[in-house]
């Protein structure tokens, strides 16, 4: 679509930061998922003044605007399905402050999660959330989606570790939300509403992160099961014993084989599934905790439990987990990483169900799960060009989300609603609740310029 | 209030659960004159929704009420309207110990809840400083937390979902049952600290924790704030305490009144380790080596000490009443602030006590003056507030009606802030009926005077 406001944008950010070539628009038409939509124009912003002016301008003309980190989202959160402006935030990439003793870092939104980790590690600190995409995904995007990670079960997710933000509203005004201090003032805690709001309320330009002392030691193990369901059963058994590991990740046979074929780590290729389990804390006592877990795993049907004996073995196990999405991606032209949650003790049931869906549709599905959180990521493999396959993939998605809700779960544990889950939203969110959330959204962004049509859509539209 | 309205409420909750006698209204009031017109005791969520609908249609203020332990702290005096006493909704709907969740009605008392949870070796890791009667809903909306929030986090970290009645009378379900969930805005947590202003919480999905294997409390006494703070730094930075409290000498004498004697005079540092046996032991050893005066409290002393800590405010306040101010400062400025504040207090408020959730950089200042006589301490409060802001901190006074300091703080967040808050309130509560006397929004709203 031809844009009649290019000069306005140029006057805000300069000519070199306004992109309209076909190739640029194509580059910014998707995120890491499968939903596409061309923006009319891509704008790179460099500072708060530009963002404020741009928002004010878009607001005055009611032009839809999509704030974009690194586009690693998986629910279409950065897709400009209605055209308009994509605002790229990655040049706001400074770590503004690391305050080690107060355990706070202040960063710009375009900083990646990994850059934060590197900046705080020398102080013996960590920023706990560590999404698999951490090398690329930005803190703005992590906040927008409430990204999870591999140690959520013990340490929580993004929203447990972001304590404030400076944000710009669509009227161009800057406000400070939350901050370094304990929230003692008699005021609504808007920081809590900002988390996981998927860029539909305001644009974060500074983010306050809570840092934690790095755990002193770990014990890592791989628990091997004959079937996927057996592994699922072990998950709640472990937690029920009162030991909360920091990591409890699951990979099924397809994932194991994909990784093994690629990286030759020595994973048990005949296993139905494995659990990657880690406990951490002070060194003393970890051996006993690890042994307790080994015993429980065996009690509830593990074929074998291997404890990593050295740093190399531990690193190998982690490589296997961190590379598993990529490994699965090599198997077919496309993959869709689904995201749903169920109460932990329903994992065996939903695993069984997904297996049956795969058999029924003849579509391969690998299973990855942040099992301790009841968060499953079935990896559905297909070829986008094959219409019939696409229909079957859609069938799988539809069945999967219905089942998750039926079991007391949710449509998404960490990838968000965006555009990708809109068609299922009514399964999970009543129209009364949607009305409430829309009131909140419109209080921030009355013209709905930010990520219009996503997350909390206008039912009338 | 019109008789027809009262009749309508009676019809919803039944005559027995709709009270207009003065004694009961007084129990739900804020002063001798500021009392509601009627108190209703709904027995289920639908009744709550129906009550709110009546209020919505007629533009009558509705104030949800738990055990009332914190009303003074969160609400301003209001005359008239409906008080919705939630204590009739006190059931555990589901205790799913396998998933470590409990779905409970908001009016259940803290004590009743924990008694059931412990039967499967689980607990809700929130530790309100108020009495055992306080309700789960009240804890949630008042963001009540105690010393263990250093290690466990506060209320928001222990919630998964809600059922609530919106200010337009709809029943909605934010969040859910699973520990990860991003299908909605996080209204579950947003209600924390909302003091009833955004809706009435009717049910809560709680995230539970297994009981720790071992807990050990250690006590240290120092001559002055400076050396106590130095110890606090060592403890927080080199070990991982679940709670880390610091009491100045006046606060210590208050604890002595409750039966806890530390054996020394001066500034107390009390901290708690919790978790697996070996890890607790290694940390206790560590601090014992660092501080040879460290006293590991035995079971009885531990109970007395924490009880005395919990009772600090009521014991201090006694019959006279007391003003409670809360200060938040960066952890690194805690020592400096407390030292300067104590020097200031020693000049003309020797009787004031300070007690800190030291690990969190949060200090309570207890002033020996009744809340009605705030003017008498206003000057010293302002001086302490400026000491706090000198170190990028904040002071608010909790149990008075003057909102000046809070308003100034919120305005400092940006000139658009007050307007943004007002739009949120008006968006979800178009008739401004929901706890319009709630402090969190009182300074934002105009024209929300109670109707009687
Ligand atoms: C291989 C792979 C692995 C992944 N692993 C995980 C995982 O383990 N856990 C997990 O949770 N997710 C994971 N993801 C999903 C994704 O990485 C996360 O959602 C991540 O947080 C996105 O960051 P981003 O910078 O790419 O954000 P984007 O995709 O650019 O943006 C995400 C959303 O945030 C909004 N947004 C961005 N910046 C701002 C801002 N400054 N202010 C307001 N809103 C803003 C956007 O509008 C959009 O709605 C994975 C994705 C891939 C492709």
């Amino acid at each position: 679509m031809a844009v009649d406001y290019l000069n306005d944008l140029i006057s805000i950010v300069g000519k070199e930061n306004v992109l309209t070539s076909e190739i640029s628009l194509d580059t910014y038409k998707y995120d890491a998922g499968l939903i596409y939509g061309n923006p009319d124009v891509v704008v790179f912003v460099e500072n708060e003044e530009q963002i404020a002016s741009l928002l004010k301008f878009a607001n005055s003309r009611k032009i839809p605007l999509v704030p974009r980190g690194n586009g690693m989202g998986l629910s279409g959160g950065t897709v400009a399905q209605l055209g308009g402006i994509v605002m790229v935030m990655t040049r706001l990439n400074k770590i503004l402050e690391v305050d080690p003793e107060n355990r706070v870092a202040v960063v710009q939104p375009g900083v990646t999660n990994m850059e934060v980790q590197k900046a705080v590690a020398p102080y013996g600190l960590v920023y706990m959330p560590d999404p698999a995409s951490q090398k690329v995904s930005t803190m703005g995007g992590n906040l927008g989606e409430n990204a999870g990670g591999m140690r959520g079960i013990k340490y929580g997710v993004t929203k447990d570790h972001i304590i404030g933000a400076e944000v710009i509203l669509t009227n161009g005004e800057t406000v400070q939300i939350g901050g370094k201090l304990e929230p003692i003032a008699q005021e609504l805690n808007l920081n809590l509403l900002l988390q996981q709001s998927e860029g539909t309320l305001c644009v974060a330009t500074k983010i306050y992160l809570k840092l934690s002392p790095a755990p002193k030691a770990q014990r890592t193990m791989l628990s091997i099961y004959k079937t996927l369901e057996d592994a699922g059963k072990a998950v709640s058994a472990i937690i029920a014993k009162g030991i909360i590991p920091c990591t409890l990740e699951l990979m099924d046979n397809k994932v194991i084989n994909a990784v093994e074929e690629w990286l030759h780590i020595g994973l048990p290729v005949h296993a139905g599934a494995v659990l990657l389990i880690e406990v951490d804390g002070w060194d003393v006592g970890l051996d006993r905790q690890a042994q307790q877990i080994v015993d429980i795993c065996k009690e509830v049907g593990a074929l074998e439990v291997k404890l990593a004996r050295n740093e190399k073995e531990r690193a190998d196990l982690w490589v296997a987990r961190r590379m598993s999405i990529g490994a699965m991606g090599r198997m077919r032209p496309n993959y869709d990483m689904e995201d749903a949650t169920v109460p932990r003790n329903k994992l065996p049931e939903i695993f069984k169900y997904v297996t049956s869906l795969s058999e029924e549709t003849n579509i391969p599905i690998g299973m990855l799960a942040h099992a301790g959180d009841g968060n499953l990521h079935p990896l559905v493999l297909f070829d986008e060009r094959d219409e019939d396959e696409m229909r079957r993939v859609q069938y799988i998605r539809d069945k999967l989300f219905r089942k998750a809700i039926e079991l007391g779960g949710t449509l998404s544990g960490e990838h968000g609603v965006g555009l990708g889950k809109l068609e299922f939203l009514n399964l999970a969110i009543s129209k009364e609740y949607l009305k409430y959330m829309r009131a909140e959204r419109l209080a921030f962004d009355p013209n709905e310029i930010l990520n219009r049509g996503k997350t909390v859509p206008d039912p009338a539209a | 209030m019109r008789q027809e309205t009262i009749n309508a409420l009676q019809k919803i909750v039944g005559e027995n659960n709709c009270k207009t006698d003065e004694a009961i209204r007084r129990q739900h009031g804020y002063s001798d004159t500021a009392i509601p017109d009627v108190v209703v005791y709904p027995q289920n969520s639908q009744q709550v929704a129906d009550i709110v609908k009546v209020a919505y249609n007629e533009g009558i203020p509705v104030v949800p009420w738990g055990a009332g332990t914190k009303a003074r702290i969160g609400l301003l005096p209001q005359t008239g309207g409906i008080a919705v006493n939630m204590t009739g909704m006190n059931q555990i709907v589901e205790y799913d110990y396998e998933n470590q969740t409990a779905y409970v009605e908001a009016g259940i008392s803290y004590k009743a809840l924990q008694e059931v949870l412990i039967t499967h070796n689980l607990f809700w890791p929130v530790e309100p400083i108020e009495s055992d009667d306080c309700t789960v809903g009240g804890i949630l909306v008042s963001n009540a937390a105690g010393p263990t929030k250093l290690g466990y986090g506060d209320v928001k970290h222990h919630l998964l979902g809600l059922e609530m009645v919106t200010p337009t009378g709809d029943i909605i379900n934010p969040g859910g049952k699973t520990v990860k969930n991003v299908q909605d805005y996080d209204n579950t947590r947003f209600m924390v600290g909302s003091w009833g202003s955004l809706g009435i919480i009717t049910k809560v999905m709680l995230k539970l924790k297994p009981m720790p294997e071992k807990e050990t409390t250690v006590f240290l006494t120092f001559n002055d704030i400076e050396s106590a703070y130095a110890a606090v730094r060592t403890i927080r930075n080199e070990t991982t305490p679940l709670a880390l409290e610091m009491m100045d000498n006046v606060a210590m004498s208050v604890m002595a009144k409750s039966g806890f004697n530390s054996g020394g005079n001066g500034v107390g540092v009390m901290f708690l380790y919790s978790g697996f046996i070996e890890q607790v032991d290694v940390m206790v050893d560590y601090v014992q080596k660092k501080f040879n005066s460290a006293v590991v409290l035995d079971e009885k002393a531990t109970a007395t000490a924490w009880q005395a800590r919990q009772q600090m405010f009521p014991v201090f306040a006694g019959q006279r009443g007391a003003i409670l101010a809360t200060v938040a400062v960066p952890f690194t400025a805690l020592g400096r602030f407390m030292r300067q504040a104590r020097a200031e207090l020693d000049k003309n408020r020797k009787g004031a006590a300070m007690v800190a959730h030291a690990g969190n950089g949060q200090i309570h200042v207890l002033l020996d003056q009744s809340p009605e006589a705030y003017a008498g301490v206003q000057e010293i409060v302002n001086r302490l507030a400026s000491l706090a802001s000198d170190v990028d901190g904040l002071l608010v006074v909790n149990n008075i009606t003057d909102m000046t300091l809070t308003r100034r703080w919120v305005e400092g967040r940006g000139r658009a802030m007050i307007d943004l808050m007002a739009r949120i309130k008006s968006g979800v509560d178009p008739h401004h009926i929901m706890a319009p006397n709630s402090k969190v929004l009182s300074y934002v709203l105009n024209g929300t005077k109670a109707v009687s």
Side-chain angles (χ1 to χ4, degrees), chain A residues 60-290:
Chain A
S60 69
R61 297 277 302 266
K62 301 195 167 48
I63 302 165
L65 182 146
V66 177
R68 181 180 166 108
N70 258 329
M72 285 292 278
L74 285 163
S75 54
T78 53
V79 174
Q81 89 286 10
L82 301 173
I85 304 168
V86 163
M87 175 173 77
V88 184
M89 307 282 294
T90 48
R91 289 188 189 158
L92 281 90
N93 59 0
K94 286 190 198 57
I95 294 180
L96 301 171
E97 187 186 348
V98 178
D99 181 349
E101 194 170 351
N102 288 314
R103 296 181 185 154
V104 179
V106 187
V107 303
Q108 289 192 312
V111 170
T112 65
N113 181 295
M114 187 60 101
E115 284 160 351
V116 173
Q117 306 296 354
K118 286 187 178 150
V120 306
Y123 303 100
L125 297 170
V126 285
Y127 171 68
M128 278 300 176
D130 60 342
S133 59
Q134 68 181 162
K135 283 188 190 149
V136 192
S137 65
T138 66
M139 294 313 300
N142 283 190
L143 175 140
E145 304 290 0
N146 183 24
M150 310 292 181
R151 46 192 178 201
I153 177 175
K154 180 164 172 188
Y155 296 113
V157 292
T158 297
K159 67 183 176 189
D160 298 304
H161 300 274
I162 289 186
I163 54 177
E166 197 171 283
V167 304
I168 304 184
L169 307 175
T170 51
N171 60 12
E173 293 286 334
T174 300
V175 297
Q176 165 90 28
I177 282 174
K180 287 186 179 180
L181 304 174
E182 279 289 301
I184 62 162
Q186 296 113 332
E187 60 178 337
L188 293 181
N189 192 338
L190 297 183
N191 182 49
L192 303 178
L193 190 59
L194 186 62
Q195 310 302 319
Q196 79 192 43
S197 61
E198 303 191 359
T200 60
L201 299 179
C202 53
V203 175
T205 51
K206 256 186 213 168
I207 306 178
Y208 290 77
L209 310 176
K210 182 171 91 187
L211 306 174
S212 309
K216 294 181 191 303
Q218 293 82 13
R219 297 289 183 279
T220 309
M221 62 217 103
L222 192 72
S223 184
I224 302 167
Y225 298 87
K226 188 159 166 226
T227 68
L228 179 57
E229 274 180 81
D230 286 350
K233 282 182 199 143
V235 173
S236 15
I238 295 167
I239 310 267
K241 289 280 172 173
I243 303 177
I244 310 286
C246 57
T247 296
L248 187 38
E249 295 285 314
L250 175 144
M251 295 179 267
D252 80 346
N253 176 272
K254 286 202 183 68
V255 177
I256 296 166
N257 278 282
V259 175
E260 192 52 32
E261 223 167 81
W262 190 20
L263 300 171
H264 314 291
I265 288 171
L267 297 175
V269 293
H270 299 295
V274 295
L275 293 175
L276 172 64
I277 308 171
E278 191 165 284
V279 286
D280 70 359
W282 289 63
D283 190 54
V284 30
L286 281 185
D287 286 329
R288 179 172 64 94
Q289 281 182 55

Side-chain angles (χ1 to χ4, degrees), chain B residues 55-355:
Chain B
Y56 173 76
N57 289 331
E58 306 208 9
I60 300 169
V62 197
V63 182
W65 197 271
T69 56
K70 276 201 148 189
R72 274 287 174 101
I73 297 206
L75 302 172
L76 296 172
Q78 169 177 278
T79 306
I82 308 168
V84 183
N85 184 311
M86 295 298 293
T87 53
M89 289 183 63
N90 54 15
Q91 299 300 303
I92 295 181
V93 181
E94 178 197 71
Y95 180 14
D96 184 350
Y97 49 85
E98 254 190 75
N99 283 305
Q100 300 180 347
T101 61
Y103 194 41
V104 304
E105 290 185 327
I108 189 172
S109 80
Y110 180 75
K111 184 158 178 251
L113 170 71
Q114 301 286 25
E115 276 171 10
V116 172
L117 299 182
I118 195 70
T119 57
H120 287 279
N121 207 35
L122 296 173
F123 71 114
W124 191 45
V126 174
E127 189 195 42
I129 207 92
E130 284 70 30
S131 68
D132 286 345
D133 313 329
C134 60
T135 63
V136 166
I139 292 169
L140 193 158
V141 298
S142 67
N143 191 17
T148 57
K149 78 172 172 180
L150 176 62
Y152 289 145
D154 54 21
V155 187
K156 63 176 175 282
H157 296 106
H158 311 292
L159 303 173
L160 298 172
L162 301 176
E163 178 193 80
M164 61 181 269
V165 172
T166 71
T168 54
D170 291 325
I171 299 177
I172 64 174
N173 294 279
K177 185 175 174 176
T178 59
V179 294
K180 281 167 81 179
N181 181 1
V182 293
Q183 69 187 9
D184 58 352
Y185 287 158
D186 195 354
N187 278 304
T188 306
R189 289 188 179 198
F190 187 42
M191 293 307 132
V192 173
S194 68
W195 289 99
S197 64
L198 302 174
I200 302 183
I201 314 297
T202 47
K203 296 192 185 108
V204 190
M205 185 67 78
L206 306 172
K207 184 181 177 198
L208 310 175
K209 250 192 179 354
M211 290 298 286
E213 273 184 3
K214 182 169 185 181
E215 296 206 317
T216 300
T217 297
V218 187
F219 204 97
L220 289 165
T221 312
F222 295 92
N223 287 331
D224 52 37
I225 288 173
E226 195 158 2
S227 42
Y229 173 65
V232 160
R233 276 184 71 183
T234 303
I235 295 159
R236 171 179 174 280
N237 295 350
E238 295 172 27
T239 68
T240 47
L242 178 63
L244 175 51
E245 301 282 299
M246 181 166 156
M247 285 74 58
D248 74 1
N249 42 3
V250 183
M252 285 307 298
S253 66
V254 181
M255 285 178 69
K257 275 194 203 162
S258 301
F260 176 70
N261 273 304
S262 61
N265 261 330
V267 181
V269 173
M270 176 158 82
F271 50 109
L272 170 65
Y273 295 114
S274 169
F276 290 95
I277 294 162
E278 300 90 335
Q279 305 199 338
V280 170
D281 290 346
V282 76
M283 288 191 274
V284 172
D285 279 354
Y286 185 87
V287 291
Q288 280 184 312
K289 286 201 184 95
K290 285 258 163 182
F291 307 98
N292 44 30
S293 64
V295 180
V296 174
L297 302 186
D298 63 22
E299 203 175 319
K300 190 153 158 271
T302 298
T304 315
W306 288 109
Q307 178 68 18
R309 169 65 190 89
Q310 197 183 31
Q311 290 301 310
M312 179 84 70
F313 185 77
V315 171
F316 178 87
Q319 289 303 312
R320 171 204 57 221
I323 289 171
L324 176 67
T326 303
V327 184
V329 295
F331 174 73
T332 46
L334 182 89
R336 173 177 157 187
F337 173 83
M338 286 185 72
R339 224 173 341 104
Q340 294 179 338
R342 188 67 257 174
E344 199 59 62
L345 292 168
D346 282 344
K347 280 189 226 155
N348 55 14
R349 271 288 155 181
K350 276 198 180 344
M354 281 194 295
V355 50

